[in-house]
Amino acid sequence: MKRLVLIITAVIGAVVLLWPWWRNHALLLDFCDYGLVMAAAGRMHLGERPYVDFITPIQTLQFLAAGVAERFWGARYLSLTYLNGVFIVASFLGIAALLLKRFGAGFALLIAAAIVTASAGQHTIIWYNAMGVVWLTLAACAAAQLESERRGHILKLLVVLGALWVGGMTKVTYQISALAFAGALAIRAGWTKQVSWRTTSLTLLGYLVCGVVAPVVTELIYTGATFTEWMQNVVLLSGRTRTGLLGQMATIQFYLHTPHDYYHPLRFTFAGEWGIALLLVIAGAATTHVEGLVKSIAVTVAQKHAEKDNVVTA
């Protein structure tokens, strides 16, 4: 009975998540960004490759996903939206399944829905930022469970390594965050002696290979680009385009107006202002926990020194 209720709840959740996508999927009122993906997919159908035949800061997985969508549903804009509908449902169910044992059905579905709503739910087409958020979530959540739950250890390790591999072909910024979370959790497991430092070192090495080396090598093999061309497009070109936002972020208008309105009418133009407020609330709530953590570390260090002094004097 519980399994039936879980299945029904998951289906209802997926339908609710798909409703905004369905409402907007046939609308395209701003070609910024989306037009780049459509153009790149068309050029790749003609045999061209990213970084070599055309410059782009967008990494390969986005274009490969667009190509897959067009093979299934035809070379048209709606094909990209259909794949995002599939991605919304798959991400929701995948994240919920990963969190089910730790948080229970209710919280697992709620957390998964929140993450998908804030990522893939914000777009109608399959989009690399949304994919980056999902890969980051899978990598961090699976890494957090690796040592605390010995059962299913290999499966969760494969989830982390797989998420890092595809994440490395999606977007560098999200990949850095994923590696930071996964690496910090591995070091924590070694520090708290849940595993040996040898295991921790091998885990970190696996993360670096699957999260840095493997994605870059895969992209270079597929595109035929050199590492210099990859750096020029993915790192340097992207960096130059993003630095222009720093000046805008110093103005109040940046937080009161959303630059793009893809699906008119946009009734919530001051999302940035709410985002800053939410960060301040979270930071305030986290402060007490950080203070407690610092005190606990200080006490632990003091106890270690005391134990060492006792051994010496004895």
Side-chain angles (χ1 to χ4, degrees):
M1 186 64 182
K2 287 184 178 180
R3 178 171 293 184
L4 179 61
V5 172
L6 174 61
I7 293 172
I8 293 173
T9 306
V11 170
I12 293 173
V15 171
V16 172
L17 288 173
L18 283 173
W19 179 81
W21 165 83
W22 179 256
R23 186 263 184 194
N24 296 324
H25 83 285
L27 299 176
L28 184 60
L29 304 175
D30 189 332
F31 272 92
C32 182
D33 288 343
Y34 284 11
L36 299 176
V37 175
M38 290 185 280
R43 296 184 70 163
M44 289 177 69
H45 284 317
L46 297 175
E48 297 185 11
R49 289 292 180 266
Y51 317 142
V52 177
D53 299 304
F54 58 91
I55 61 171
T56 173
I58 300 175
Q59 289 186 258
T60 309
L61 191 66
Q62 171 69 72
F63 303 135
L64 290 176
V68 169
E70 293 190 351
R71 285 189 182 90
F72 272 96
W73 295 289
R76 53 180 180 153
Y77 170 75
L78 286 176
S79 299
L80 307 183
T81 71
Y82 295 152
L83 185 58
N84 193 48
V86 174
F87 183 71
I88 286 172
V89 175
S91 300
F92 170 59
L93 297 179
I95 294 171
L98 183 62
L99 300 177
L100 187 61
K101 185 177 179 181
R102 175 59 63 89
F103 294 102
F107 277 111
L109 291 170
L110 186 62
I111 293 169
I115 292 170
V116 173
T117 299
S119 55
Q122 301 298 309
H123 293 275
T124 52
I125 73 170
I126 189 72
W127 194 243
Y128 63 100
N129 285 327
M131 288 192 287
V133 171
V134 171
W135 310 146
L136 165 59
T137 301
L138 292 175
C141 291
Q145 298 178 46
L146 269 178
E147 308 308 331
S148 59
E149 298 177 11
R150 303 305 301 177
R151 189 176 180 181
H153 178 91
I154 297 299
L155 180 59
K156 288 184 174 63
L157 179 61
L158 291 176
V159 170
V160 178
L161 298 180
L164 289 177
W165 179 52
V166 293
M169 295 183 286
T170 304
K171 191 169 183 179
V172 171
T173 49
Y174 292 109
Q175 184 68 353
I176 292 172
S177 299
L179 286 168
F181 277 115
L185 288 164
I187 293 171
R188 175 183 176 275
W191 181 266
T192 55
K193 297 182 180 180
Q194 296 180 54
V195 298
S196 66
W197 280 111
R198 179 178 180 276
T199 300
T200 298
S201 301
L202 290 174
T203 301
L204 292 173
L205 179 62
Y207 290 169
L208 288 174
V209 170
C210 289
V212 178
V213 179
V216 175
V217 170
T218 303
E219 284 200 87
L220 297 183
I221 291 173
Y222 176 76
T223 62
T226 64
F227 181 71
T228 301
E229 289 173 323
W230 183 89
M231 282 288 296
Q232 182 65 35
N233 282 265
V234 175
V235 179
L236 300 179
L237 179 61
S238 178
R240 286 196 295 268
T241 57
R242 293 291 181 259
T243 50
L245 291 174
L246 295 177
Q248 298 177 33
M249 291 173 67
T251 65
I252 189 64
Q253 189 64 23
F254 180 84
Y255 303 95
L256 300 177
H257 175 70
T258 302
H260 302 292
D261 185 358
Y262 293 100
Y263 324 114
H264 293 198
L266 182 64
R267 307 183 190 280
F268 194 66
T269 59
F270 43 91
E273 185 180 46
W274 282 92
I276 293 295
L278 180 60
L279 286 174
L280 291 175
V281 170
I282 293 173
T287 300
T288 55
H289 296 287
V290 172
E291 288 177 355
L293 179 62
V294 170
K295 289 177 181 177
S296 130
I297 292 173
V299 169
T300 302
V301 172
Q303 288 175 341
K304 293 289 185 183
H305 280 292
E307 290 171 3
K308 184 178 178 181
D309 291 340
N310 288 336
V311 169
V312 172
T313 55

